[in-house]
Amino acid sequence: MMYRLLSIWLCVGLSSMAFAQDSFRIEGSVLNANTLQPIEGANIVGKGFYSVSSSTGAFKIKNVAKGRYSLTVSHISYRPKTVEVEVGPNMEEVQILLSETTTTLEEVEVYGDYEQEKAKQLSTVSQSVSKAFLDQNRENSLMQTLKKIPGVSTITIGSGQSKPVIRGLGFNRVAVVQNGIKHEAQQWGNDHGLEIDQYGIEKIEIIKGPASLLYGSDAIAGVVDIQPSKIPFPNSFGGEVNVLAESNNDLLGVSAGVQGRKEKWYYRGRVTYRDYGDYKVPTDKINYENYIFELHDNHLRNTAGEEANASFSVGYVSDHIKSETFFSNVNAKNGFFANAHGLEVRSSDIDYDSSSRDVDLPFHKVNHFKVTNNTIVSGENHTLHFDLGYQNNLREEHSEPVPHGYMPKPSDSKERVFSKNTYSLNVKDSFKPHKKHDGVVGLNLEFQNNNIGGWGFLIPAYNRFAVGAFAYDQFEVNPDLHFMAGIRYDYGFIDTKAYFDWYPSTVNNADGSTSYIYLQRARDKTSTFANVSASAGLSYIHKNTTYKVNMGKSFRMPLPNELASDGVNYHMYRYEQGNLDLDPEESYQLDVDIDHTTPSMSVGVSPFVNLFDNYIYLNPTSNYYETLQIYEYTQSRVFRVGGEVRASTTLFKNLGLDASAEYVYSRQTSGPKKDFTIPFTPPLSGLVSANYQFKDFFFLSSPRLIADLRVTAAQNEIVPPEETTEGYQVLNMSLLADLDIFTKNPPVRLRVKLNNVFDTKYFDHTSFYRLIDVPEAGRNLSISLTMPF
């Protein structure tokens, strides 16, 4: 089917070439008038045609008849410019220089210093991810797409779900923020993915290191900040349709988005649907707990799923007010590899191999509804930001009903149900008390209500409240030296609810009699927490080199599962017990970042040193409950050190090379696992990427070939009961090109990607299924077409 599709595009492209024999091409570049650096994302508009500048500032308009044309070039950070071009034989490339503008009141986008300069002036270690990067590297989930960022990895849960890990820390230690509101789901579980539609996202800011100062608890390791999209231009309408097909799991997907604006009112909308089957691994058997599971045709059975997402927003913009209300709903159903749920499949009557596309037990269903409002009010000396949000996360975990211990066979498959409501409010005031100072004060409030259901118990129902106030100042010592410091105070409580088993258990009394009682798994308990966060840092810019140093202290409130869990987690085949006496985690970190960038090359290094006073983790004990090993939450001091190095260069005009490496060393310095590392610590890893820009070929415009080689060392530093993983090398290749199918519309963007080219069998140390000796997915061919309009 995929090769037939390529043949059709070939025929269409050849026809298009024949049609365009008497037409010409406009080629050029858009540059910053002051620095001569390329400008990405500039809009080039003429009568009957349109283009957008690439990351190198280049643009290309094909099939233009001979004549004189006016081109209007615009970018939200620059003054628009109109140029006249004469189109005909032997015409030269057009070079367009745009001048920067500090504010664009019509768009109410207050940039102050420009985005790149602002990033240099901040002392925090962060990295911006553009829409072009996301489109070029898109994988089956948002976090898998971001894995090429140094220091970012994932806990992968099958082919359709994953969760973020920054420098070896994940779960609730990494805050995911969308449109200013923290994404709140059941992210505490190993098998709980991130319910966010990755299509339609234009920019992500990744902060590495403690960020509790700005984002509160849960940002102790870093932040994935999904920022609002740019406001559409006045009197505009456009959109895109993206279709995707993959060979490994027979995935078919489509995502369509539109946006439009009159003068002051604008809107956006998007729908996404994906359906996929069981994915393939490069082995025909799995050995878990000395039991061999045969795999039919290399399919990891019952890993199929589907996802249906929808979002809509409406906004208003004037000279001093910008407001946008965003609605989204993400709905997914995902099967879990049957043998991951204990070993019960050996006695199950379910035919897990009836179809590669059906979803049998066990499976998860999740629906995440979110509504947010972001309002910015700009005054003469102050800019007020208001972020308001409501989220409902409904999660159902279905398993085959079988009796366990004293529990009789349940009447249905709903093992666990969670319904979490989150209400959020952020208020921030940005102001300039002096021309050399940029001050910010703010307040964050969040309330959560999480209810439970189902016949299985792991964590109790709870209420959670948190409030934090912060202030920071960025001081310009001189144009090249900036100092930033801030402080924050947080208060919060977690109110866990009592829970009793729904079935009686047998208890032997001291007098020899027997009682049948409903065991209490959780009790009513209110735990309060308060803490101070702070950070201070310097940024120094010397010609082409930026030096940053930042010291920060962050904290994280314990989670309800860490405080009050008391039940069997069959996905992990263990019994988990919480500890109501846990203290908040406190982290102290020193970050350094050095970046040297010239037009032809860039190198950088980002080391860090990190100390936890009381790191919380799940520790296996020597005790058992109904043949299951008991794991208890405990705390220890942890020392961590590591960082990332990166380099990129352009060897020739069309050949670019990128390389990066990342490493984290962790050591517990107290507690029952003293001198061990911490769970899910990623090994030393490096990525080498080469991309070559070819000349136009047949129907392919600006074809680019990319080869990525991931080299990962063995991970022998583990904490029992983890197992070591061997090192591996995996090669991925991509072909990107434009298809000039429609003469008056932007070109269709084609991406052909081949992951795991050599079908390598390897184990990702941070993968969920690695715990049961399941290798990563095998070779996968994907074809994506994006059709703008």
Side-chain angles (χ1 to χ4, degrees), residues 423-439:
Y423 307 85
S424 306
L425 172 64
N426 303 324
V427 180
K428 185 173 68 175
D429 179 17
S430 302
F431 58 96
K432 287 184 72 70
H434 184 271
K435 66 179 181 179
K436 288 184 175 292
H437 289 266
D438 288 298

mmCIF file of all heavy atoms in Angstrom, residues 423-439:
data_model
loop_
_atom_site.group_PDB
_atom_site.id
_atom_site.type_symbol
_atom_site.label_atom_id
_atom_site.label_comp_id
_atom_site.label_asym_id
_atom_site.label_seq_id
_atom_site.Cartn_x
_atom_site.Cartn_y
_atom_site.Cartn_z
ATOM 1 N N TYR A 423 -8.284 21.997 39.558
ATOM 2 C CA TYR A 423 -8.618 23.404 39.345
ATOM 3 C C TYR A 423 -7.345 24.226 39.579
ATOM 4 O O TYR A 423 -6.705 24.095 40.634
ATOM 5 C CB TYR A 423 -9.724 23.859 40.304
ATOM 6 C CG TYR A 423 -10.955 22.983 40.273
ATOM 7 C CD1 TYR A 423 -11.029 21.815 41.040
ATOM 8 C CD2 TYR A 423 -12.054 23.317 39.480
ATOM 9 C CE1 TYR A 423 -12.155 21.004 41.014
ATOM 10 C CE2 TYR A 423 -13.187 22.511 39.449
ATOM 11 C CZ TYR A 423 -13.225 21.360 40.216
ATOM 12 O OH TYR A 423 -14.359 20.560 40.191
ATOM 13 N N SER A 424 -6.980 25.069 38.618
ATOM 14 C CA SER A 424 -5.711 25.799 38.694
ATOM 15 C C SER A 424 -5.921 27.280 38.422
ATOM 16 O O SER A 424 -6.758 27.661 37.601
ATOM 17 C CB SER A 424 -4.710 25.248 37.667
ATOM 18 O OG SER A 424 -4.538 23.850 37.795
ATOM 19 N N LEU A 425 -5.130 28.103 39.114
ATOM 20 C CA LEU A 425 -5.119 29.549 38.890
ATOM 21 C C LEU A 425 -3.700 30.057 39.063
ATOM 22 O O LEU A 425 -3.065 29.816 40.095
ATOM 23 C CB LEU A 425 -6.049 30.277 39.867
ATOM 24 C CG LEU A 425 -5.975 31.811 39.839
ATOM 25 C CD1 LEU A 425 -6.427 32.343 38.477
ATOM 26 C CD2 LEU A 425 -6.798 32.424 40.963
ATOM 27 N N ASN A 426 -3.200 30.751 38.042
ATOM 28 C CA ASN A 426 -1.886 31.398 38.105
ATOM 29 C C ASN A 426 -2.068 32.887 37.821
ATOM 30 O O ASN A 426 -2.748 33.260 36.868
ATOM 31 C CB ASN A 426 -0.919 30.812 37.079
ATOM 32 C CG ASN A 426 -0.736 29.315 37.225
ATOM 33 O OD1 ASN A 426 -0.740 28.789 38.332
ATOM 34 N ND2 ASN A 426 -0.569 28.624 36.111
ATOM 35 N N VAL A 427 -1.447 33.713 38.654
ATOM 36 C CA VAL A 427 -1.468 35.164 38.456
ATOM 37 C C VAL A 427 -0.026 35.651 38.506
ATOM 38 O O VAL A 427 0.730 35.300 39.425
ATOM 39 C CB VAL A 427 -2.305 35.880 39.533
ATOM 40 C CG1 VAL A 427 -2.305 37.382 39.284
ATOM 41 C CG2 VAL A 427 -3.731 35.343 39.565
ATOM 42 N N LYS A 428 0.350 36.461 37.521
ATOM 43 C CA LYS A 428 1.724 36.936 37.452
ATOM 44 C C LYS A 428 1.748 38.385 36.978
ATOM 45 O O LYS A 428 0.998 38.756 36.076
ATOM 46 C CB LYS A 428 2.540 36.047 36.503
ATOM 47 C CG LYS A 428 4.018 36.385 36.440
ATOM 48 C CD LYS A 428 4.783 35.356 35.613
ATOM 49 C CE LYS A 428 4.418 35.421 34.158
ATOM 50 N NZ LYS A 428 5.245 34.516 33.323
ATOM 51 N N ASP A 429 2.608 39.194 37.586
ATOM 52 C CA ASP A 429 2.776 40.591 37.205
ATOM 53 C C ASP A 429 4.233 40.803 36.799
ATOM 54 O O ASP A 429 5.154 40.615 37.603
ATOM 55 C CB ASP A 429 2.415 41.514 38.374
ATOM 56 C CG ASP A 429 2.606 42.990 38.024
ATOM 57 O OD1 ASP A 429 2.694 43.309 36.819
ATOM 58 O OD2 ASP A 429 2.682 43.812 38.959
ATOM 59 N N SER A 430 4.435 41.172 35.543
ATOM 60 C CA SER A 430 5.776 41.496 35.046
ATOM 61 C C SER A 430 5.897 43.019 34.960
ATOM 62 O O SER A 430 5.037 43.681 34.385
ATOM 63 C CB SER A 430 5.994 40.881 33.662
ATOM 64 O OG SER A 430 5.815 39.473 33.700
ATOM 65 N N PHE A 431 6.977 43.560 35.495
ATOM 66 C CA PHE A 431 7.115 45.012 35.533
ATOM 67 C C PHE A 431 8.594 45.383 35.510
ATOM 68 O O PHE A 431 9.474 44.545 35.730
ATOM 69 C CB PHE A 431 6.442 45.586 36.785
ATOM 70 C CG PHE A 431 6.982 45.027 38.076
ATOM 71 C CD1 PHE A 431 7.963 45.705 38.787
ATOM 72 C CD2 PHE A 431 6.512 43.817 38.585
ATOM 73 C CE1 PHE A 431 8.467 45.198 39.983
ATOM 74 C CE2 PHE A 431 7.012 43.297 39.769
ATOM 75 C CZ PHE A 431 7.982 43.991 40.467
ATOM 76 N N LYS A 432 8.860 46.667 35.253
ATOM 77 C CA LYS A 432 10.216 47.189 35.231
ATOM 78 C C LYS A 432 10.323 48.315 36.260
ATOM 79 O O LYS A 432 9.991 49.469 35.955
ATOM 80 C CB LYS A 432 10.592 47.698 33.833
ATOM 81 C CG LYS A 432 10.832 46.593 32.813
ATOM 82 C CD LYS A 432 11.307 47.164 31.481
ATOM 83 C CE LYS A 432 12.722 47.661 31.568
ATOM 84 N NZ LYS A 432 13.694 46.554 31.694
ATOM 85 N N PRO A 433 10.779 48.008 37.476
ATOM 86 C CA PRO A 433 10.928 49.071 38.467
ATOM 87 C C PRO A 433 12.059 50.045 38.123
ATOM 88 O O PRO A 433 12.114 51.153 38.629
ATOM 89 C CB PRO A 433 11.259 48.299 39.756
ATOM 90 C CG PRO A 433 11.864 47.017 39.270
ATOM 91 C CD PRO A 433 11.189 46.697 37.989
ATOM 92 N N HIS A 434 12.942 49.581 37.244
ATOM 93 C CA HIS A 434 14.079 50.392 36.809
ATOM 94 C C HIS A 434 14.478 49.887 35.432
ATOM 95 O O HIS A 434 14.216 48.734 35.075
ATOM 96 C CB HIS A 434 15.246 50.248 37.817
ATOM 97 C CG HIS A 434 16.434 51.108 37.506
ATOM 98 N ND1 HIS A 434 17.458 50.676 36.689
ATOM 99 C CD2 HIS A 434 16.761 52.359 37.911
ATOM 100 C CE1 HIS A 434 18.365 51.633 36.595
ATOM 101 N NE2 HIS A 434 17.978 52.665 37.336
ATOM 102 N N LYS A 435 15.117 50.741 34.638
ATOM 103 C CA LYS A 435 15.426 50.336 33.263
ATOM 104 C C LYS A 435 16.360 49.132 33.196
ATOM 105 O O LYS A 435 16.412 48.443 32.183
ATOM 106 C CB LYS A 435 16.022 51.510 32.502
ATOM 107 C CG LYS A 435 17.381 51.983 33.007
ATOM 108 C CD LYS A 435 17.890 53.141 32.153
ATOM 109 C CE LYS A 435 19.263 53.608 32.622
ATOM 110 N NZ LYS A 435 19.785 54.714 31.778
ATOM 111 N N LYS A 436 17.084 48.856 34.276
ATOM 112 C CA LYS A 436 17.980 47.709 34.285
ATOM 113 C C LYS A 436 17.386 46.492 35.000
ATOM 114 O O LYS A 436 18.045 45.464 35.123
ATOM 115 C CB LYS A 436 19.319 48.080 34.936
ATOM 116 C CG LYS A 436 20.187 48.999 34.082
ATOM 117 C CD LYS A 436 21.533 49.241 34.746
ATOM 118 C CE LYS A 436 22.451 50.057 33.844
ATOM 119 N NZ LYS A 436 22.850 49.288 32.650
ATOM 120 N N HIS A 437 16.164 46.610 35.486
ATOM 121 C CA HIS A 437 15.539 45.509 36.227
ATOM 122 C C HIS A 437 14.287 45.026 35.496
ATOM 123 O O HIS A 437 13.506 45.826 34.961
ATOM 124 C CB HIS A 437 15.141 45.962 37.639
ATOM 125 C CG HIS A 437 16.301 46.184 38.556
ATOM 126 N ND1 HIS A 437 16.778 45.221 39.404
ATOM 127 C CD2 HIS A 437 17.085 47.282 38.740
ATOM 128 C CE1 HIS A 437 17.805 45.702 40.090
ATOM 129 N NE2 HIS A 437 18.011 46.959 39.705
ATOM 130 N N ASP A 438 14.090 43.718 35.479
ATOM 131 C CA ASP A 438 12.849 43.094 35.031
ATOM 132 C C ASP A 438 12.327 42.251 36.190
ATOM 133 O O ASP A 438 12.877 41.183 36.485
ATOM 134 C CB ASP A 438 13.077 42.205 33.801
ATOM 135 C CG ASP A 438 13.355 43.021 32.560
ATOM 136 O OD1 ASP A 438 12.471 43.799 32.168
ATOM 137 O OD2 ASP A 438 14.451 42.880 31.976
ATOM 138 N N GLY A 439 11.295 42.731 36.845
ATOM 139 C CA GLY A 439 10.768 42.050 38.015
ATOM 140 C C GLY A 439 9.504 41.273 37.710
ATOM 141 O O GLY A 439 8.731 41.626 36.812
#
